[in-house]
Amino acid sequence: MPRIRALPPALPVVAHAPPPEVAVAPLMRGISVLRELTDVGGAASLSELGRATGLARATVDRVTGTLAHMGYVRLGGSSAVLAPRLMELGNAYLAALRLPDLLGTHADRLADALDESVSLAVADGDGIRFIHQAIRRRTLSLSFRIGDLLPAERTAPGPLLATEWDTQGWALWEQRQTDDPENRGFPTVPPRPPRPQGAATDFRQRVEQARGRGWALDDQLIEPGLVAASVPVRAPDGRIVCVASLVSHTSRHSAASLRESLLPSLRSTVRAMEQQLADPPPSEPLSAPSDLAAWASTAKQELGGEFITSLARGLTVVTAFGEGRAELTLSEVAETTGLPRATARRALITLEHLGYVTRHERGFRLAPRVLSLGFPPLSKTSLAHIAHPHLVALTGRVQDSTSLAVLTGNDVQCVASVAAGRIMDADIAVGARLPAHATSTGRVLLANLPDEDLSALLARTQMRALTPFTLTTVHDLTAVLDLVREEGHALVDGELEEGLRSVAVPVRDRDGSCLAAINVTMHSSRGSADECVTTTLPELRATAALIEADLHTARRFVRVPIA
């Protein structure tokens, strides 16, 4: 069986190092815009982006226009918002790394067993970056996200990862202490108060303690109340590939009780993780992106000078990597993307300069810094948030109200809704619950239940007649659900309310399971039922496909709640 090879820590880009002569300036500008959008939470006005990045407004417009055409941002008025498709960049890094797939289940089980949050983090320069989170959902809970970067000295994983720093790594850390004493460069954590004399020595002592003990603690270094215990996860060759951490707060554990009561369980889980790394399942290369060069050329023809081809090509180089493609040569990157070798080379050199790619002899690997391109704010997205802009677009095209619903007991609950703004309009508020048997979304969701679950639900459902047209028997409803299952959509006409017609289709996960349903609701005077199927249903299906594409990208390494 192949073994997981420990990766050398990614070295941070030196801020004052001039870019190589062959660096792709438009790619650098595009990345600066994505980084700024990430740091401010995922949305900003175009003017704010210009001020923060130092780019001219015309340049920001071209950059964001190109990113919007790629599906990486959405433009609305004078603002830009990160879009879920951008997560394909971070997914490429995480898939190539394989650690979330191999170790994430172990972390999740430990979190469930102890009812505490568990995270996995890797080194990113002189900081740590999270690659997996199993967060306990409480009123008082952690807000760390996959991709968040924290300063090493204020964490439990930091001292462990610093045991492998070389002279250059320590020099870069010392320089940061001088340049950014309050940690303003880490937007995830609160600014640090002025440090007492000897704070740097204290961190070095913690590193030596971690080296000797094989574990480390964070006793409220990030902020008051937060405590954590960490243990390194080592590859068969002994190098640290990541660090597993148990995180709690002082109302549940002190640092001492965390160490005494929970550290043994953490160490046991880490041993299981290391066994997994010693004998991992084979990695099969996934399908790689293709015809990217052709796509960029077509986009250039469509948009003309407003489309920045070199930016698009530079970012698609990142997506050349993935599971089974952790390390690629220049020739392999060019072949995978369809780019000329010279173009791929310039993009890789630029990404290496910025710290997103590392070179290993003749090959290249993605670095953890790729996660800084939108992944943290997008990792907190929900299905409702993903669906909303697509529902807005659908409502604009069909001029009728749209909604997203999920099954809750015998009812459907609306989790996203967009009104058409007509004088006579369907008004379904977010949170509203309607009887599943009399709604189009309900019938789609019922039709996709396993037979046993459907039978149990119908047995306890009181099918009230809401109008003279409402189906009220299990026999009649079951026959309709068979048709819904066969045709892939449901149309309900006047059964929930007289004069109200709606048509719905499912929203499916990667495995084909139905997670939710979207519908279009209209007054029956807007046309016949047949016309609704002919004109509205294709638009509805196309919208469901767009929602599913974003959802599948977002769910690759992240839990995506419904609302």
Side-chain angles (χ1 to χ4, degrees), residues 234-394:
R234 298 184 182 275
D237 64 5
R239 292 188 62 109
I240 298 175
V241 294
C242 68
V243 174
S245 301
L246 272 168
V247 188
S248 189
H249 51 78
T250 51
S251 62
R252 294 175 61 83
H253 286 282
S254 66
S257 71
L258 195 67
R259 180 190 69 234
E260 293 167 3
S261 60
L262 302 186
L263 184 59
S265 297
L266 177 60
R267 300 183 86 163
S268 177
T269 295
V270 166
R271 286 193 292 272
M273 290 179 176
E274 291 175 340
Q275 181 58 47
Q276 182 79 68
L277 295 180
D279 191 23
S283 176
E284 295 294 334
L286 300 181
S287 58
S290 60
D291 298 327
L292 297 177
W295 173 86
S297 297
T298 301
K300 184 69 171 181
Q301 292 173 2
E302 292 177 359
L303 301 180
E306 294 304 303
F307 184 79
I308 307 174
T309 307
S310 56
L311 168 57
R313 288 178 169 178
L315 291 176
T316 54
V317 163
V318 175
T319 64
F321 297 83
E323 187 172 347
R325 304 190 305 277
E327 184 172 312
L328 297 175
T329 64
L330 170 58
S331 297
E332 289 170 335
V333 170
E335 180 182 357
T336 301
T337 59
L339 295 172
R341 183 183 171 92
T343 301
R345 175 177 174 272
R346 291 187 64 202
L348 286 167
I349 289 174
T350 304
L351 292 168
E352 182 184 16
H353 167 71
L354 296 174
Y356 297 96
V357 164
T358 57
R359 194 188 300 256
H360 304 274
E361 297 179 355
R362 294 181 59 250
F364 296 87
R365 287 178 176 263
L366 295 181
R369 191 158 300 174
V370 171
L371 292 174
S372 70
L373 301 178
F375 213 90
L378 289 171
S379 70
K380 288 293 189 179
T381 194
S382 66
L383 176 56
H385 186 264
I386 289 172
H388 188 264
H390 295 295
L391 295 180
V392 170
L394 175 61

Side-chain angles (χ1 to χ4, degrees), residues 162-179:
T163 61
E164 296 191 341
W165 288 357
D166 57 14
T167 302
Q168 182 186 9
W170 279 106
L172 289 168
W173 180 80
E174 292 283 4
Q175 186 63 49
R176 176 169 62 78
Q177 304 311 299
T178 301
D179 295 343

Side-chain angles (χ1 to χ4, degrees), residues 49-290:
L49 289 174
R51 287 192 294 270
T53 60
L55 299 175
R57 174 59 189 269
T59 301
V60 172
D61 288 347
R62 291 186 65 214
V63 167
T64 54
T66 299
L67 294 172
H69 194 74
M70 297 180 72
Y72 287 172
V73 303
R74 291 195 178 96
L75 298 177
S78 60
S79 296
V81 180
L82 296 178
R85 185 175 176 181
L86 179 61
M87 295 177 76
E88 71 182 13
L89 301 181
N91 285 349
Y93 164 73
L94 293 172
L97 188 68
R98 294 196 73 197
L99 295 180
D101 281 333
L102 292 174
L103 309 183
T105 301
H106 295 282
D108 296 343
R109 287 173 182 164
L110 181 62
D112 290 339
L114 301 182
D115 195 27
E116 298 289 355
S117 296
V118 177
S119 65
L120 300 177
V122 296
D124 188 354
D126 65 347
I128 72 156
R129 199 177 290 275
F130 293 112
I131 60 168
H132 183 81
Q133 292 281 14
I135 301 295
R136 298 298 87 189
R137 302 297 176 185
R138 300 188 179 97
T139 303
L140 183 61
S141 63
L142 301 176
S143 61
F144 291 139
R145 306 160 297 186
I146 296 175
D148 274 336
L149 180 68
L150 277 62
E153 67 275 11
R154 294 178 64 183
T155 68
L160 293 163
L161 293 169
T163 61
E164 296 191 341
W165 288 357
D166 57 14
T167 302
Q168 182 186 9
W170 279 106
L172 289 168
W173 180 80
E174 292 283 4
Q175 186 63 49
R176 176 169 62 78
Q177 304 311 299
T178 301
D179 295 343
D180 184 18
E182 296 182 348
N183 294 153
R184 299 284 178 178
F186 298 85
T188 302
V189 301
R192 180 171 58 184
R195 296 180 302 155
Q197 191 73 21
T201 301
D202 176 67
F203 179 59
R204 288 182 179 272
Q205 291 173 346
R206 290 179 59 216
V207 172
E208 291 309 310
Q209 288 177 342
R211 192 191 308 276
R213 294 171 173 171
W215 51 268
L217 291 176
D218 165 10
D219 190 357
Q220 306 180 76
L221 294 172
I222 289 292
E223 67 177 18
L226 188 148
V227 291
S230 293
V231 174
V233 181
R234 298 184 182 275
D237 64 5
R239 292 188 62 109
I240 298 175
V241 294
C242 68
V243 174
S245 301
L246 272 168
V247 188
S248 189
H249 51 78
T250 51
S251 62
R252 294 175 61 83
H253 286 282
S254 66
S257 71
L258 195 67
R259 180 190 69 234
E260 293 167 3
S261 60
L262 302 186
L263 184 59
S265 297
L266 177 60
R267 300 183 86 163
S268 177
T269 295
V270 166
R271 286 193 292 272
M273 290 179 176
E274 291 175 340
Q275 181 58 47
Q276 182 79 68
L277 295 180
D279 191 23
S283 176
E284 295 294 334
L286 300 181
S287 58
S290 60

Side-chain angles (χ1 to χ4, degrees), residues 460-495:
R460 63 176 185 268
T461 299
Q462 294 183 346
M463 296 175 56
R464 294 184 297 112
L466 305 173
T467 76
F469 308 103
T470 307
L471 297 182
T472 57
T473 70
V474 171
H475 178 271
D476 290 342
L477 180 60
T478 301
V480 169
L481 294 181
D482 288 340
L483 186 62
V484 170
R485 205 173 290 115
E486 177 182 338
E487 296 183 339
H489 74 273
L491 188 143
V492 172
D493 202 350
E495 296 188 49

